[in-house]
């Protein structure tokens, strides 16, 4: 199938493009490159030896989005494009609500106008709010702690309502847990501009010597070793989950957790990284980060049962592949 991937130059989007091509699909990427590099598209082509059509567009602009549908017979859409920093969203709520909601509406309107029946949406475990793990798709959602999380919850609501009014659509709302790792080639991975938001880029930049040490945000949580526990999922597993959703989704709007179902603490991840890559990660225990919760991991039975998908890679693979990518990064980012 010919698939439009919005945000296809991003960390998860680019890895999903590779999995789509590996599964025989052709890919069109629409991205504004505000948080990614067009070189990523070249790397996707280098890895897959396939041509990737790319458009530099503002995904919130309905006319720019619909012109892509006008020029290509698109059979499915995977919508990744959006701002994704929890902390930034608290400071810039208007930008987050406008960008993340208007892009979702623009994409959905074009799907309806051009008869595209399959739409996969990039959601997040953040929408669960303060629910207790393991998190299950039919749980009642609580208010999240940030505008980013609210844009994901609102986008899910918008797409569910669109599905109800248009029963011919097949919509998958995929709730990611903690995506980490990189493509096994070492050419595509998580390369945040400036100071990283997430744990693994901090670990790899500490390993590389760009950071003197890792700050561990609290060791007084009620967890195995006091540090935060999360469900880390390899980005390639996540990418393959999108292909499975595209190929198996039924009519209607359906929510799926994309996680491993296993929790790993910060110190367990650091220790694994040191063992796998034979490198020391100096760290300091500091205060908890505001808004953090102790434990978050997925119940993964629904995706396995309905999409025939489950994560295959473990935390060792994630640490190995993240480090390989970081070593290939020639761009020195001063912390
Ligand atoms: C993981 C653990 C930190 C950095 C975020 C978003 C979520 C989703 C995934 C988009 C926590 C600890 C971190 C550091 C640390 N993104 N940590 N030192 O907060 O679980 O989830 O990314 O959908 O929406 O909220 O991920 O990687 O920031 O933190 O100790 O320098 O690592 O306290 O326990 P998080 P994270």
């Amino acid at each position: 199938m010919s698939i439009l991937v919005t945000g296809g130059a991003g960390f998860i989007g680019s890895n999903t493009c590779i999995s789509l091509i590996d599964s025989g699909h052709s890919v069109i990427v629409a991205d504004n490159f505000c948080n990614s590099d067009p070189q990523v598209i070249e790397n996707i082509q280098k890895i897959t030896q396939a041509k990737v059509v790319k458009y530099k567009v503002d995904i919130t602009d309905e006319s720019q989005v619909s012109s892509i549908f006008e020029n290509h017979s698109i059979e499915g859409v995977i919508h990744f494009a959006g701002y994704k920093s929890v902390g930034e969203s608290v400071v810039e709520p208007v930008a987050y609500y406008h960008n993340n909601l208007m892009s979702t509406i623009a994409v959905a309107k074009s799907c309806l106008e051009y008869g595209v029946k399959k739409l996969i949406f990039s959601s997040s475990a953040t929408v669960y709010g303060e629910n207790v793990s393991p998190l299950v798709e039919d749980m009642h959602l609580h208010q999240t702690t940030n505008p980013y999380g609210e844009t994901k919850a609102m986008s899910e609501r918008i797409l569910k309502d669109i599905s109800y009014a248009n029963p011919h659509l097949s919509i998958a709302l995929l709730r990611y847990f903690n995506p980490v790792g990189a493509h096994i080639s070492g050419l595509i991975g998580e390369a945040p501009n400036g100071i990283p938001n997430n744990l693994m880029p901090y670990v790899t930049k500490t390993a590389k010597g760009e950071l003197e040490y890792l700050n561990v945000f609290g060791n007084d949580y009620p967890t195995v070793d006091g540090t935060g526990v999360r469900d880390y999922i390899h980005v390639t597993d996540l990418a393959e989950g999108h292909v499975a959703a595209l190929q198996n989704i039924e009519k209607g709007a359906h929510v799926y957790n994309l996680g491993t179902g296993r929790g790993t603490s910060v110190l367990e991840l650091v220790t694994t990284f040191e063992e796998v890559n034979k490198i020391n990660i100096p760290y300091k225990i500091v205060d908890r980060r505001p808004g953090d919760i102790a434990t978050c991991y997925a119940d993964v039975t629904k995706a396995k049962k309905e999409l025939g998908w489950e994560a295959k890679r473990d935390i060792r693979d994630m640490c190995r592949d993240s480090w390989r990518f970081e070593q290939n990064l020639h761009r020195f980012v001063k912390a």
Side-chain angles (χ1 to χ4, degrees):
M1 290 192 281
S2 177
I3 308 298
L4 172 63
V5 181
T6 74
F11 172 42
I12 303 167
S14 54
N15 279 280
T16 301
C17 287
I18 293 170
S19 294
L20 285 166
I21 293 164
D22 287 350
S23 300
H25 300 290
S26 60
V27 164
I28 299 155
V29 168
D31 204 306
N32 66 3
F33 301 108
C34 74
N35 197 19
S36 57
D37 188 326
Q39 176 60 38
V40 168
I41 308 298
E42 308 310 316
N43 289 342
I44 294 171
Q45 295 184 137
K46 188 175 179 181
I47 291 164
T48 61
Q49 293 301 296
K51 172 69 181 156
V52 174
V53 177
K54 73 171 180 284
Y55 290 92
K56 184 179 187 326
V57 293
D58 173 1
I59 315 279
T60 66
D61 182 320
E62 292 182 16
S63 60
Q64 290 186 44
V65 172
S66 62
S67 66
I68 300 173
F69 287 75
E70 188 67 34
N71 294 315
H72 296 272
S73 56
I74 290 166
E75 298 161 274
V77 175
I78 305 185
H79 176 43
F80 291 103
Y83 298 153
K84 64 168 190 172
S85 166
V86 167
E88 185 182 59
S89 77
V90 174
V91 181
E92 301 284 354
V94 173
Y96 268 70
Y97 283 114
H98 178 265
N99 186 66
N100 289 8
L101 297 184
M102 296 315 292
S103 61
T104 300
I105 290 168
V107 167
K109 285 179 77 170
S110 281
C111 286
L112 291 172
E113 185 180 347
Y114 289 90
V116 175
K117 297 181 179 57
K118 293 191 171 214
L119 173 55
I120 313 295
F121 174 67
S122 166
S123 190
S124 167
T126 300
V127 304
Y128 284 106
E130 74 267 17
N131 271 300
V132 175
S133 289
L135 297 169
V136 188
E137 288 89 346
D138 61 1
M139 275 177 167
H140 173 74
L141 302 186
H142 295 283
Q143 171 91 17
T144 69
T145 61
N146 56 84
Y148 161 77
E150 287 307 290
T151 68
K152 291 300 184 182
M154 289 175 185
S155 291
E156 285 194 9
R157 178 73 268 160
I158 290 166
L159 292 173
K160 284 174 182 173
D161 290 346
I162 290 172
S163 165
Y164 184 75
N166 300 275
H168 67 282
L169 293 179
S170 299
I171 299 178
L173 307 168
L174 304 182
R175 292 175 181 167
Y176 310 156
F177 281 73
N178 287 63
V180 296
H183 187 262
I184 197 161
S185 66
L187 291 177
I188 287 185
E190 190 173 11
N193 297 328
I195 297 178
N197 284 310
N198 295 124
L199 176 63
M200 187 62 92
Y202 268 105
V203 170
T204 56
K205 292 192 182 310
T206 303
K208 204 174 179 181
E210 286 181 21
L211 296 174
E212 191 185 347
Y213 55 83
L214 170 73
N215 288 308
V216 176
F217 296 143
N219 68 344
D220 57 351
Y221 286 103
T223 63
V224 59
D225 56 23
T227 62
V229 169
R230 296 292 184 271
D231 186 335
Y232 297 98
I233 177 169
H234 196 292
V235 67
T236 304
D237 277 327
L238 201 55
E240 290 170 358
H242 287 73
V243 177
L246 190 71
Q247 293 174 177
N248 300 299
I249 189 74
E250 302 285 340
K251 285 185 175 48
H254 308 277
V255 177
Y256 296 100
N257 287 335
L258 294 191
T260 66
R262 294 186 301 276
T264 302
S265 77
V266 175
L267 291 182
E268 285 171 333
L269 187 146
V270 168
T271 304
T272 303
F273 190 96
E274 291 180 320
E275 284 169 5
V276 164
N277 297 310
K278 297 178 177 39
I279 197 163
N280 180 48
I281 302 291
Y283 66 83
K284 281 184 182 172
I285 304 292
V286 298
D287 290 341
R288 293 183 177 189
R289 180 173 62 178
D292 272 357
I293 58 175
T295 299
C296 176
Y297 61 91
D299 176 296
V300 294
T301 48
K302 188 179 178 189
K304 184 173 182 179
K305 177 168 174 276
E306 295 184 15
L307 302 180
W309 170 88
E310 61 181 338
K312 295 185 293 231
R313 296 158 182 90
D314 64 18
I315 202 78
R316 297 176 66 82
D317 299 315
M318 297 175 215
C319 290
R320 185 179 301 115
D321 295 346
S322 292
W323 180 227
R324 183 185 304 111
F325 173 71
E326 182 66 50
Q327 290 176 293
N328 284 337
L329 264 183
H330 304 300
R331 178 162 49 93
F332 181 83
V333 178
K334 193 83 185 117

